[in-house]
Amino acid sequence: MGYGMMPMLLAADNEVDFSIHHLLAYQFMGQTVYITTSHVCMLIIIVCIMIFALAARRKMLHADEIPTGFQNAVEFIVETLQGFVNSSMGKHGKKYMNYVGTLFFFVFLSNISGLFGLRPPTADYGTTFSLALITFVMFQYNNIKYNKIGAFTGLFQPLWFLFPINLIGEIATPVSMSLRLFGNVMAGTVMMALYYGLLPVFAKLGIPAALHIYFDLFSGAIQAYVFCMLTMVFVTDKIEG
Amino acid sequence: MSNITNEVLILACSTIGAGLAMIAGIGPGVGQGYAAGQGAAAVGRNPGAKGDIMSTMLLGQAVAETTGLYGLVVALLLMYGNPMLSKFLKL
């Protein structure tokens, strides 16, 4: 699967190609580890977010009384985010707004990066599983913080011998969250690669735009929304016991 | 028929298995369609609550989609990751 192939950042080529490519190999603790296209695309996305954040900060430091242009856009984003978090987390929303906002922008930009010819980092199970693990740690922390000993005795509810099933239920949450995001983005990537790779050249004019709108923009936005929504739902669920 | 090697047999069976795994797509299709239909009916009864209905419907549909995506992941593993073949070749 792609060992020693030409390093490529572009997802679309003349053959069907949607696998992760290795760009650079190095030794880490006695094992060979690779810098892959996922890392590079993720770095590009992080740099884009940082440039946007710094520009927004610079603008908001001397904000105008009547907002125009860029300031309007930044205020709109922040207000939408506040509404989104507060509507689903209620009074706990304020604490988690930063995390949910970061998560949303990262996942959303990752999902739509297929539009710009990159291979989406979220089509790599490593990325989505890490994101789901962060969420998992966060809601288990809240579980212990708010429910105290109830976090452990809750596993033996309603009957003690249901403990294994409850435990599997807890562990299945991050797995299903990460697989949902991964599967959706991967399905989009595979479909686009098949379309670009297998059809004759005249079919690649114009029609892929509609497919990109569905697979990258629509599906990506929905999945970013759902991932953040599920994070908030699970955290609120744990806080309110 | 006599010149079928073990590798080829494993590959052929894996490909058939990948196709069979995608039958899992039926369930989410029915489920999402049902959710969308109920959502449309709810908007028809109460057009003012369109935003809430939309977000609830999309969340439910995304959760219902999970089983289909498990099928997709299994199919992709069989096609491109093939655990059977690597296990066989190492033994």
Side-chain angles (χ1 to χ4, degrees):
Chain A
M1 213 164 117
Y3 292 102
M5 281 176 85
M6 258 218 350
M8 273 183 296
L9 269 183
L10 293 173
D13 204 40
N14 277 329
E15 53 190 24
V16 180
D17 172 35
F18 50 83
S19 55
I20 304 162
H21 294 289
H22 304 136
L23 299 177
L24 187 71
Y26 65 98
Q27 297 290 321
F28 179 71
M29 312 239 297
Q31 290 188 45
T32 312
V33 191
Y34 298 95
I35 298 283
T36 62
T37 44
S38 298
H39 294 108
V40 178
C41 298
M42 210 188 293
L43 272 178
I44 293 172
I45 288 159
I46 289 169
V47 167
C48 288
I49 295 177
M50 276 173 73
I51 289 173
F52 180 80
L54 288 178
R57 178 177 175 273
R58 198 180 148 87
K59 183 73 194 170
M60 295 312 277
L61 273 183
H62 34 82
D64 302 325
E65 190 71 27
I66 299 156
T68 50
F70 186 60
Q71 193 186 341
N72 251 335
V74 175
E75 284 184 5
F76 171 75
I77 290 172
V78 172
E79 275 167 15
T80 313
L81 194 65
Q82 266 172 345
F84 173 51
V85 177
N86 286 336
S87 70
S88 53
M89 293 191 81
K91 64 183 192 313
H92 310 291
K94 210 166 182 300
K95 248 170 40 184
Y96 293 97
M97 212 188 88
N98 290 330
Y99 175 68
V100 173
T102 315
L103 196 64
F104 182 81
F105 282 119
F106 179 69
V107 173
F108 178 65
L109 283 182
S110 298
N111 288 354
I112 67 166
S113 62
L115 270 182
F116 306 106
L118 301 168
R119 190 183 184 283
T122 35
D124 181 343
Y125 190 57
T127 313
T128 57
F129 191 63
S130 322
L131 292 175
L133 269 187
I134 298 171
T135 298
F136 179 70
V137 168
M138 201 167 78
F139 66 70
Q140 289 305 330
Y141 168 77
N142 278 308
N143 194 8
I144 294 170
K145 185 179 170 192
Y146 286 93
N147 298 335
K148 311 281 185 236
I149 195 74
F152 302 101
T153 53
L155 288 175
F156 295 92
Q157 302 290 336
L159 294 165
W160 63 268
F161 58 82
L162 291 178
F163 170 70
I165 295 174
N166 284 331
L167 197 64
I168 292 171
E170 290 289 318
I171 295 169
T173 311
V175 174
S176 77
M177 269 175 84
S178 55
L179 273 181
R180 183 175 302 126
L181 183 57
F182 165 73
N184 268 293
V185 182
M186 191 69 193
T189 311
V190 170
M191 288 297 288
M192 291 317 296
L194 287 179
Y195 191 86
Y196 279 123
L198 295 183
L199 288 180
V201 72
F202 63 83
K204 294 179 194 168
L205 300 173
I207 305 166
L211 293 175
H212 270 300
I213 286 175
Y214 180 74
F215 286 118
D216 290 332
L217 269 180
F218 179 71
S219 182
I222 295 274
Q223 288 311 313
Y225 170 76
V226 163
F227 195 87
C228 295
M229 195 73 187
L230 284 177
T231 301
M232 292 190 292
V233 166
F234 285 129
V235 170
T236 318
D237 188 47
K238 293 294 182 198
I239 288 177
E240 286 166 359
Chain B
M1 288 298 281
S2 59
N3 55 0
I4 296 179
T5 60
N6 289 339
E7 288 94 342
V8 170
L9 185 64
I10 291 175
L11 280 177
C13 292
S14 301
T15 316
I16 294 171
L20 288 177
M22 286 316 292
I23 295 176
I26 293 174
V30 174
Q32 288 186 322
Y34 185 72
Q38 294 286 312
V43 173
R45 270 197 302 276
N46 187 2
K50 193 170 179 228
D52 283 347
I53 292 167
M54 275 286 278
S55 63
T56 313
M57 184 189 84
L58 285 177
L59 190 68
Q61 284 186 328
V63 175
E65 205 176 24
T66 315
T67 49
L69 290 172
Y70 290 161
L72 175 73
V73 170
V74 169
L76 282 175
L77 275 180
L78 282 175
M79 295 275 284
Y80 299 102
N82 217 325
M84 305 297 162
L85 197 61
S86 51
K87 193 176 171 187
F88 173 77
L89 289 178
K90 261 175 207 154
L91 283 176

